Amino acid sequence: MVRISLLTYLALGLGSTTVLADCGQAPSSSPSVQIPTGVLTPVTDFGVNPTGLDLHIYVPKDLAPKPAVILALHLCGGTGPIYSYLSNYNPHADERRSFVVLYPSTPHDNNCWDVASKKSLTRDAGGDTTSLANMVRWAISEFDADPAKVFVTGSSSGCMMSNVMAAAYPDIFSAVSCYSGIPAGCLAGSPGASPQNSDPTCGQGKMIKSGEEWAAVLKSIYGKPEGYTEGSYPKVQTWHGEADFFVNYPNLGEQLKQWSTVLDVPFSKTQANAPDTGYTKIVYGDGSKLVGYSAKGVGHTVPVHPEEDLKWFGL
């Protein structure tokens, strides 16, 4: 569990002014209500929220028109405000002024995202995925954001949910970058998604499937709603520590098998010491759709690399 002292919490400004946002108004180049800039702010009205999630948002000062939206998902035991500190995206938002960051929180199952239940592993079926998608839809409308620049990232449980969100909403997200997770659907049918309540098979890296089998699991999350036409999926980069014995290292290979099949890109090469010493970059195709990072000597979780994430997102 990640812990942060109350003193640090207050010093970081994580307990800032509450703002109610009305997502029913027409989109404009500026928010329909005055959300403070340069400070992490709670939002309590972002649309239908079937699982009772919380949301904080970071909006930089002098936000550029048609900004991007990043959905940043905390690890188990965490919260959105804590992850805003751990991920360090906010200073980059201030510098670039080109994106807003959504930091949701789940109060359920030891603060772990639901990546196990049928509701959450089905598009718009009333699980955590539905609440998270509605946050993103609200932000796109509220900030007149560029719908082609919507991204998802997260660590551990947040990476697990990043893969699930990309599977359930490939029409919303254009890129994923996440840390120390598992394949989409790996915990399907588990009694929970937390270390305390989940089937350990997946977390231990013992859920081994072919690329075709993993692709079928992923695509089942989107399903075939009325008018369905299968389109493209977001590009993906995923990071994992070779010394991770909590969400075990084989999960990197299983994620890469899943996404390489879905994105139809074969393995092409590895690159040593990229982006850091001891990291190996695993490239599929020309590297524009899928890459993995294997971190020697790194446990759970791989530290967030915000600049590499933003580069992957084109920001």
Side-chain angles (χ1 to χ4, degrees):
M1 175 182 291
V2 176
R3 303 182 188 275
I4 187 169
S5 72
L6 178 61
L7 188 60
T8 304
Y9 183 89
L10 294 173
L12 290 167
L14 302 183
S16 303
T17 306
T18 300
V19 171
L20 304 183
D22 180 2
C23 62
Q25 298 186 24
S28 64
S29 58
S30 60
S32 59
V33 297
Q34 191 59 46
I35 293 178
T37 59
V39 63
L40 196 65
T41 303
V43 175
T44 60
D45 184 6
F46 51 81
V48 177
N49 182 16
T51 57
L53 304 183
D54 297 321
L55 174 62
H56 286 74
I57 187 168
Y58 189 84
V59 181
K61 295 179 180 179
D62 301 317
L63 181 66
K66 306 299 289 186
V69 175
I70 298 176
L71 178 67
L73 302 169
H74 65 71
L75 56 172
C76 279
T79 65
I82 291 174
Y83 199 62
S84 75
Y85 168 64
L86 295 176
S87 61
N88 203 37
Y89 293 121
N90 298 350
H92 296 278
D94 289 333
E95 178 184 347
R96 289 167 171 79
R97 301 183 297 106
S98 61
F99 62 90
V100 300
V101 191
L102 307 180
Y103 295 104
S105 303
T106 174
H108 310 298
D109 195 8
N110 299 288
N111 296 59
C112 299
W113 300 105
D114 178 7
V115 293
S117 75
K118 182 66 175 176
K119 280 187 175 181
S120 207
L121 293 175
T122 304
R123 178 186 174 93
D124 288 337
D128 278 357
T129 46
T130 302
S131 292
L132 292 170
N134 286 339
M135 292 178 186
V136 174
R137 290 164 173 150
W138 166 82
I140 293 171
S141 173
E142 186 71 15
F143 296 95
D144 193 22
D146 185 342
K149 294 181 179 179
V150 180
F151 312 108
V152 60
T153 185
S155 297
S156 191
S157 178
C159 182
M160 301 175 193
M161 182 55 91
S162 294
N163 283 323
V164 170
M165 291 302 292
Y169 300 96
D171 52 330
I172 292 181
F173 298 100
S174 57
V176 179
S177 181
C178 71
Y179 300 84
S180 309
I182 60 174
C186 192
L187 281 175
S190 172
S194 67
Q196 295 88 341
N197 297 320
S198 64
D199 181 335
T201 306
C202 179
Q204 291 175 355
K206 297 178 180 178
M207 186 74 74
I208 307 300
K209 298 180 183 291
S210 69
E212 291 73 20
E213 289 170 331
W214 277 128
V217 171
L218 186 149
K219 291 182 179 182
S220 72
I221 296 172
Y222 185 90
K224 293 188 177 181
E226 185 177 354
Y228 166 80
T229 301
E230 184 174 325
S232 61
Y233 283 84
K235 65 179 187 175
V236 175
Q237 72 175 9
T238 185
W239 309 65
H240 219 103
E242 295 179 15
D244 190 337
F245 301 107
F246 191 70
V247 178
N248 288 14
Y249 180 66
N251 279 296
L252 175 61
E254 297 306 295
Q255 288 179 78
L256 292 172
K257 277 196 288 186
Q258 183 175 61
W259 282 113
S260 64
T261 304
V262 169
L263 296 171
D264 192 24
V265 284
F267 167 77
S268 58
K269 63 181 180 180
T270 60
Q271 181 181 349
N273 298 316
D276 300 326
T277 301
Y279 283 64
T280 299
K281 184 177 182 179
I282 307 165
V283 181
Y284 286 76
D286 64 3
S288 64
K289 290 185 177 180
L290 177 64
V291 297
Y293 290 97
S294 179
K296 186 176 181 179
V298 176
H300 192 80
T301 64
V302 175
V304 176
H305 287 61
E307 294 207 14
E308 293 298 324
D309 293 343
L310 297 175
K311 186 187 303 181
W312 184 247
F313 297 156
L315 299 175

